[in-house]
Amino acid sequence: MTKLFHNNLLAQFSYAGQKKKKIFSILNSCSIIFASVRSVQAHRNCTDLEILKPMKFFMANAKFREEKKNQNNNNSSN
């Protein structure tokens, strides 16, 4: 997901739209991620939950990753 989405974009979404965020689950991108994961032989029979758990965690931490990246950039500039 790092290759597909910027942290600032993901910070605006949650899978189901909690905390007044936009709903990620209705996007075509979400369907593509599920299909892509299942296209890998080792993950062909994954349940939705097995895909959702790391995806939700990754999305929930997007804001913090961006803040940490900005903080590191500010520290290296000084």
Side-chain angles (χ1 to χ4, degrees), residues 7-8 62-72:
N7 288 325
N8 290 332
K63 178 181 175 183
F64 303 108
R65 277 192 309 277
E66 190 63 24
E67 288 173 353
K68 185 175 180 179
K69 186 172 101 177
N70 289 336
Q71 184 179 35
N72 288 342

